[in-house]
Amino acid sequence: MTRRDLIHKWFVYTLGLLPVWLLDAYILPRIPLWGITPMLLPLAAAAVAVLEGAYAGTGFGMAVGLLWELAYPGGFGGLVFFLALAGMAMGAVSQYALSQSFPGCLICAAGVLGLLDCLRVARMLLINAASLSELLQVAVPEFLWSLAWTPLIWLLFRTIYSRVGGTKLA
């Protein structure tokens, strides 16, 4: 790929991230299902990491983490590093252990969402914000509701991947 093709590809991925972010930040919080809103940005990082591999997954994960930290209040910068590491891990796992397919994306998305929710629960337990059962009453439905959005996110980024230089996937 030429430099121009690479710039075009990542510009199109960025445009693909825009509706995901708008859904995540502005639309879904206004209509929560049973008081729970899904996290879509980690799903976008997972989908691109599965499609593009470890190196590109690291960069895209870092960009998504930066967007997440800048767009939502109360961040401390940890999501930038977490999603960069998660993108690297998911990209490597999909390249070498899983396939670059929807089941592989679903497994990677479940891993990153599960780890993110575990870290959030651990942080809240550490500061005595709530009991474990109360935290799990929020974390488990949030995990499942977020995971339910994986097919839509996968379809969006797989379509982008197939149009900007990637191969057609099954």
Side-chain angles (χ1 to χ4, degrees):
M1 270 189 160
T2 65
R3 182 181 208 161
R4 182 179 177 157
D5 291 340
L6 283 173
I7 291 170
H8 177 259
K9 176 172 82 169
W10 291 107
F11 178 72
V12 174
Y13 274 126
T14 303
L15 287 178
L17 184 62
L18 186 64
V20 173
W21 174 63
L22 290 174
L23 264 174
D24 189 72
Y26 296 107
I27 297 170
L28 293 175
R30 294 184 188 275
I31 47 172
L33 183 67
W34 297 298
I36 304 295
T37 58
M39 295 183 291
L40 301 183
L41 292 178
L43 300 177
V48 173
V50 166
L51 291 168
E52 292 287 341
Y55 294 119
T58 304
F60 193 76
M62 186 180 294
V64 170
L66 184 62
L67 171 67
W68 202 351
E69 288 288 353
L70 293 175
Y72 300 98
F76 65 97
L79 288 172
V80 176
F81 298 110
F82 174 78
L83 283 178
L85 290 174
M88 181 178 65
M90 289 181 292
V93 165
S94 69
Q95 278 181 305
Y96 302 115
L98 300 173
S99 63
Q100 292 176 311
S101 62
F102 175 69
C105 180
L106 191 63
I107 291 168
C108 289
V112 73
L113 287 171
L115 186 57
L116 187 59
D117 274 339
C118 284
L119 291 172
R120 287 175 154 181
V121 166
R123 188 183 82 201
M124 291 297 154
L125 284 174
L126 191 63
I127 62 172
N128 292 325
S131 69
L132 180 61
S133 63
E134 291 170 337
L135 292 171
L136 289 178
Q137 286 177 353
V138 174
V140 171
E142 180 184 57
F143 170 82
L144 294 173
W145 183 221
S146 298
L147 208 55
W149 285 85
T150 305
L152 179 69
I153 304 296
W154 169 256
L155 184 63
L156 172 68
F157 286 105
R158 189 188 74 176
T159 303
I160 292 171
Y161 178 78
S162 66
R163 296 194 190 262
V164 291
T167 57
K168 295 275 184 187
L169 298 173

